[in-house]
Amino acid sequence: MNNIRTVFTGMLKRLKTALVIALLAGLASIALYYCGRPIADIYSVQDKIDVAVIDNDRSELSAMLKNYLSDKMSMNIIEDEQEKFNDKLINRDVSAIIEIPQNFEKNTIDGKDVKIKSTTLDDYENGTYISVYIEGFMRSVNIASSAAKGNAELFSKIMNSDAADTKLTQENAVVSDMENEYVAAGFTFSEGFMIMLVTAIGMFITLAVMDDRQYGTYSRMAISSVTGIQYIVGTLGASVLISLISLIILPLYLLVTGAQMNAGYPLIFVAVMIYSLFNSALSIMLAQLISSKQALATLSGCIASVGALLGGAWFPIDETAGMLKYLSYITPQYWYFNFMSGASEQPVINICVLILYTLLIMLASAALFGRKSVVSKA
């Protein structure tokens, strides 16, 4: 334990600059958050956007949804065959394809969870803009469904009623959801930058370990009483603290200010901790694999930029992207960013994948140090 503490405190003393930069990066993430919030308004200022609708239900409720999108939300609704819509979407003739499922009205009245699928090829902001209004309508519909308790006639009366006590407040629901989207847009925008900044900050710990190797400290430690695990744990602890400072400030700020997050703060803090561990373990492993600082700078730049690109930080990797979409699955940044952006339907899976990546990199780092220890003693 004393050896781990010695390595930990020693690394922190050597990485004072990195600690300051991490703190500044964390504070900058708050500024980035506010820069990203207006993204949710980009498409709302337009007079009309063309949206393709595939109505597989042809019910009174589906007609209400189309009227809602057209009259209340200023969307130009186009109805045609799905094959034609795919071409229109690719050619940017429509902003999205919204598909109303079969038995939409029946399942809604029965209290079942109904999902309306929307497909876009535009940036994240466009998908957010469209989905938030659909969700706003569905929230109001679910209120009517709960009140009707499976009675189709009563449900229809509630949906068509103008009485003050039964009139649905779609606009109010949308305003409430839109505030959540402001938070999500700002948070996602900030995280897109932070996954690159954290990788760059990790270079400080990498350079520290490289210096230990080049100037003999690493070799002397390898043949001393400090074991490979102790060195890795102590160094990893210092690196995790630095990465954590840069990533944790924004979630803490949002928690204190009462902002609502889709993923939930407990899981967000878990994801931040795991990604900090991963980034730190990766930094240590790179230091043991690479001897040239120039090569390290090049490789770190590639990891930061390509990881952010495939992770979806700059634009969403759509299912239609083919091989690029499959390549994104192998990057830890994808699973982290997919979770933090709230796009993941099964967030626990994202957390589990991040844990597996982190354990793999940590074991590889310990194995590399152990092998070098044997070589040094020989």
Side-chain angles (χ1 to χ4, degrees):
M1 191 66 182
N2 289 333
N3 289 338
I4 294 176
R5 188 184 303 111
T6 300
V7 174
F8 175 78
T9 54
M11 278 293 179
L12 286 182
K13 289 178 181 178
R14 296 167 59 186
L15 297 171
K16 292 178 181 178
T17 302
L19 282 169
V20 174
I21 292 176
L23 179 60
L24 293 176
L27 295 175
S29 68
I30 299 177
L32 290 170
Y33 163 75
Y34 282 104
C35 290
R37 279 176 61 96
I39 288 175
D41 278 332
I42 287 179
Y43 290 91
S44 62
V45 299
Q46 297 183 358
D47 293 331
K48 286 276 187 179
I49 64 170
D50 293 329
V51 175
V53 175
I54 302 171
D55 190 350
N56 295 314
D57 193 46
R58 297 294 176 181
S59 63
E60 182 184 12
L61 184 59
S62 66
M64 287 183 179
L65 173 58
K66 288 182 286 186
N67 289 335
Y68 169 75
L69 295 175
S70 176
D71 298 339
K72 299 293 185 180
M73 300 303 129
S74 298
M75 296 183 186
N76 185 31
I77 304 300
I78 303 171
E79 294 191 68
D80 209 328
E81 297 178 0
Q82 184 170 3
E83 292 74 13
K84 296 181 180 179
F85 284 156
N86 291 334
D87 293 336
K88 287 179 178 293
L89 184 61
I90 293 174
N91 295 328
R92 308 294 188 189
D93 294 330
V94 295
S95 295
I97 299 175
I98 298 174
E99 185 173 355
I100 302 174
Q102 291 182 344
N103 300 319
F104 170 51
E105 183 176 83
K106 181 180 183 302
N107 290 336
T108 301
I109 293 174
D110 291 341
K112 296 180 180 179
D113 185 22
V114 178
K115 298 294 184 183
I116 298 177
K117 181 181 178 182
S118 64
T119 305
T120 67
L121 289 182
D122 290 339
D123 290 341
Y124 164 80
E125 298 83 9
N126 196 33
T128 300
Y129 165 63
I130 292 171
S131 64
V132 69
Y133 290 111
I134 295 176
E135 291 171 4
F137 177 84
M138 290 306 300
R139 285 181 60 188
S140 298
V141 169
N142 290 334
I143 293 173
S145 174
S146 298
K149 297 181 179 179
N151 188 318
E153 184 178 352
L154 178 58
F155 176 80
S156 179
K157 287 182 179 179
I158 294 174
M159 290 297 297
N160 290 286
S161 176
D162 291 328
D165 58 341
T166 58
K167 184 177 180 180
L168 297 180
T169 56
Q170 288 100 332
E171 291 84 358
N172 290 338
V174 168
V175 169
S176 176
D177 278 347
M178 200 61 195
E179 176 57 30
N180 292 339
E181 290 303 323
Y182 286 139
V183 175
F187 185 68
T188 303
F189 181 80
S190 178
E191 285 298 312
F193 280 94
M194 292 308 296
I195 60 176
M196 289 190 64
L197 290 177
V198 169
T199 303
I201 292 172
M203 288 184 61
F204 284 93
I205 197 73
T206 305
L207 291 172
V209 176
M210 287 181 68
D211 287 341
D212 284 345
R213 291 178 56 194
Q214 293 177 0
Y215 298 114
T217 305
Y218 186 91
S219 298
R220 290 193 296 272
M221 191 171 292
I223 60 176
S224 69
S225 60
V226 178
T227 65
I229 294 297
Q230 289 173 335
Y231 179 81
I232 292 296
V233 171
T235 306
L236 189 65
S239 182
V240 167
L241 179 61
I242 293 171
S243 297
L244 192 60
I245 288 174
S246 59
L247 288 175
I248 202 70
I249 290 179
L250 178 58
L252 284 174
Y253 172 79
L254 295 177
L255 176 63
V256 171
T257 56
Q260 298 296 317
M261 298 296 295
N262 293 332
Y265 284 104
L267 279 180
I268 286 176
F269 290 128
V270 169
V272 167
M273 175 64 74
I274 295 171
Y275 193 76
S276 298
L277 276 168
F278 165 78
N279 186 69
S280 302
L282 179 64
S283 301
I284 295 172
M285 188 181 74
L286 290 177
Q288 297 178 89
L289 290 174
I290 301 174
S291 299
S292 168
K293 293 183 179 180
Q294 183 177 3
L296 171 65
T298 302
L299 182 59
S300 297
C302 289
I303 292 174
S305 57
V306 174
L309 175 67
L310 293 178
W314 309 131
F315 57 86
I317 308 297
D318 194 82
E319 295 293 340
T320 59
M323 184 57 68
L324 187 63
K325 181 65 174 180
Y326 295 113
L327 286 175
S328 68
Y329 291 151
I330 67 175
T331 63
Q333 288 90 340
Y334 168 81
W335 299 98
Y336 176 73
F337 189 77
N338 187 252
F339 169 81
M340 298 300 265
S341 65
S344 175
E345 295 181 358
Q346 296 178 307
V348 175
I349 292 180
N350 293 58
I351 298 293
C352 292
V353 172
L354 284 174
I355 291 174
L356 290 175
Y357 268 111
T358 303
L359 289 175
L360 178 63
I361 298 299
M362 289 176 65
L363 290 173
S365 297
L368 284 171
F369 184 86
R371 187 181 68 179
K372 292 179 183 298
S373 298
V374 172
V375 172
S376 299
K377 291 177 181 179

